[in-house]
Amino acid sequence: MAGSEQSEAQEELLFIFENGDKYTNPTEVKMSQFILPCHANHRGELSVGQLLKWMDTIACLSAERHANCPCVTASMDDIDFEYTLRVGQVVNIKAKVNRAFTTSLEVGTYFRFVGINIICEDPLSGKQWKVCNAFATFVAKGEGPGKVQLKSIVPRTPEEKIEYSIAVERRRMRLLHLETIKDLVSSSTIQKEPDFEESQHVVPAEKTRVETVELVLPPHANHQRNTFGGQIMAWMESAATISASRFCKEHPVLKTIEMFHFRGPSQVGDRITLKAIVNNAFKKSFEVGVCAEAYHQEGWERKTHINSAFMTFVVLDKDGQLSTFPCVKPEPGDGERRYREASARKKIRLDRKYIISCKQTEVPLSVPWDPSNQVYLSYNNISALKTLAAKQNWVLSCTRKKAKLFTLEEDQLLFFKAEMTVSVNIKQVFLLLSDMSRRHEWDTHYQKFKLIQKVDEDDVIYHVISPSVNKAGNFQDFVLLASRRVPCADGDPYLIALRSVSLPAAPPTEGLDRGEIPCAGFKLCQKGEACTNIAYYIQATPQVLPYLTRDITGLSSDVCKIVEACNEFLEQNKDTVHPLGSVTLGGT
Ligand code: COA
Ligand code: ADP
């Protein structure tokens, strides 16, 4: 296992300037820690709480390097732990700021290992392997009560540019996370709890309850007396692990942590109460919820809810196989609600992992659309387009009048780009091109359009029928998710991303060949006051390949005609008041 990861883990980002200087990101921070018995549990394994403390510390140092003022942890995204670390091994952690927003910034690391990058090393054999990644968000806290406006990050390397651009999408997902869970729970008909009376192996949830308290002392806090986020996470992990052990009566292994969100601060002198209980057990894993509240120095009357987290544990038997668990009988009221919410979280976690862990353009097209994964598919749609647009080595294949066509062959995939500049204001171009119901006015492939679902202001799902590729063939149809984004900051492009989705409301129909588009879309950049550069990207699939290659090789000019028609359409409508014109176009 470790060996196979070795070369990947050792890969260092190396960016050389034209003058030969090696580039190092100014916010990059590295930490190496020997795992000593004081960092480990009784089995000699590194405690996850200790790892969280190190992760938070290094991420905070990186954030403060950029902010030049104290920063506090606002959130730590979901973490999947892939390996257990042991006494005697070395943990190498690297972090850098991916992007600064207004008062907050995202800390992550390199392209291959995005997130706070943790590599474990066995110093005796020299082997290295990846342990986990994470992204943390910090908020800058200046001296006074006012908000700190952070300076922007200037990404230099191609990898930094991609991370910089995708950080906006991760932020969007983070801020929608709670709503996504609430929506799923309120809209789903999650199966009723099993019949606990009849089930033989049932553990009453109250038997797993843990309530404990910690006093925040100076070593737990920074020089401004604010408790370190990593310390709170470590206490929460410890309470959750006790609850988990009470349930499984074994030594549980922590596999995943749902996003930590620090709702409120705590300070030296506060008492932190930690309450944990098993919310639900699935066959081979179970969820423990833990809630942290701070009682402020004045007494036990005034408290702040500072954090809630949900952790998934497993147990490995002596052969390394996953053990099976009994059912949990939740307490009436809140316990039953948490039991159902744990199921919803598990579903969302699996969807998210499936959609996000795939390479951007490799998400299976069969990913079915549903309200609980819409945020992740929309994320994937936009970030796949951003990744495609950031690719280098495009080869100019032909120039026709206003349009330039490019190709890119990479990893056995073929991509196309068509580029032109129009004398139309960028906001107007964005409004016109993101209105899919008007695409037939310039694109002959959009013969019939039907809106299936307006998901929100920025995402729509539609069905489109296109002529057949071959003269004798069937017509084709596509079900596409269109996601659009206005710039988050000056200099960001406007984007309209397209990808196929499947949903029961639009099943394949007889007589139509269902085509699929894994990644396509427009990137718009302002060129002066009234001009817009439009780049259209598409990943080749059997359904679109023939059109594109015929043009590239000069056998047809279909694509170029469409590009020209698009130009004409935009010019003709440059002053029309658009029905979508009321949509805010200022920034997210
Ligand atoms: N994940 C990531 N960022 C988040 C977030 C979340 N769940 N919730 C809010 N933010 C970001 C916002 O996007 C905003 O960033 P921006 O200015 O770059 O747009 C920033 O936090 C401030 O948001 P705002 O809505 O103005 O403030 P808030 O009242 O929600 O406060 C915190 C956010 C994080 C400052 C506040 O909850 C806090 O002080 N938490 C405790 C932090 C702490 O002390 N941590 C250490 C451990 S106790
Ligand atoms: P929610 O109830 O919506 O899950 P909370 O923030 O109240 O959110 O709690 C988070 C988790 O902490 C709960 O899911 C539960 O597992 C645990 N928890 C909350 N309150 C208690 C308590 N009094 N005793 C034990 N565990 C608790």
Side-chain angles (χ1 to χ4, degrees), residues 79-81 240 244 252-258 280 282 284-289 309-315 325 342 345-346 349-350:
I79 312 173
D80 286 336
F81 297 97
V253 178
L254 180 53
K255 281 308 280 179
T256 45
I257 305 184
E258 280 273 313
N280 200 341
F282 310 101
K284 305 276 182 186
S285 68
F286 58 97
E287 182 197 273
V288 182
F310 302 95
M311 307 189 188
T312 301
F313 289 85
V314 296
V315 170
F325 299 111
R345 274 187 293 271
K346 183 175 159 87
R349 190 167 51 244
L350 292 175

Side-chain angles (χ1 to χ4, degrees), residues 561-577:
K561 278 187 194 144
I562 293 172
V563 173
E564 273 160 35
C566 179
N567 183 33
E568 222 167 276
F569 164 76
L570 295 170
E571 295 268 2
Q572 278 168 4
N573 291 284
K574 69 198 290 180
D575 299 317
T576 50
V577 179

Side-chain angles (χ1 to χ4, degrees), residues 536-568:
Y536 179 71
Y537 298 86
I538 186 161
Q539 181 181 335
T541 57
Q543 293 85 16
V544 295
L545 189 67
Y547 297 113
L548 297 164
T549 45
R550 275 200 302 238
D551 258 58
I552 297 285
T553 50
L555 295 173
S556 119
S557 55
D558 283 355
V559 176
C560 293
K561 278 187 194 144
I562 293 172
V563 173
E564 273 160 35
C566 179
N567 183 33
E568 222 167 276

Side-chain angles (χ1 to χ4, degrees), residues 8-65:
E8 208 183 356
Q10 279 172 340
E11 199 163 313
E12 283 273 331
L13 180 85
L14 200 63
F15 186 75
I16 313 278
F17 286 113
E18 273 170 15
N19 66 4
D21 288 352
K22 189 184 156 198
Y23 167 73
T24 318
N25 186 302
T27 67
E28 182 181 295
V29 182
K30 294 182 184 181
M31 178 193 270
S32 290
Q33 296 280 357
F34 231 118
I35 305 175
L36 302 172
C38 61
H39 302 132
N41 61 21
H42 54 284
R43 286 183 296 168
E45 293 160 356
L46 173 65
S47 88
V48 172
Q50 179 59 62
L51 187 61
L52 290 169
K53 281 201 251 181
W54 286 333
M55 284 162 71
D56 183 62
T57 306
I58 187 172
C60 183
L61 291 175
S62 173
E64 290 181 351
R65 245 190 186 183

Side-chain angles (χ1 to χ4, degrees), residues 340-377:
R340 287 191 295 275
E341 286 174 358
S343 298
R345 274 187 293 271
K346 183 175 159 87
K347 186 233 181 275
I348 289 177
R349 190 167 51 244
L350 292 175
D351 278 3
R352 188 172 45 213
K353 198 166 174 186
Y354 184 56
I355 295 168
I356 293 175
S357 62
C358 294
K359 271 192 180 171
Q360 299 302 343
T361 52
E362 281 177 8
V363 174
L365 298 166
S366 54
V367 171
W369 170 270
D370 80 48
S372 69
N373 65 23
Q374 69 185 42
V375 178
Y376 312 114
L377 275 170

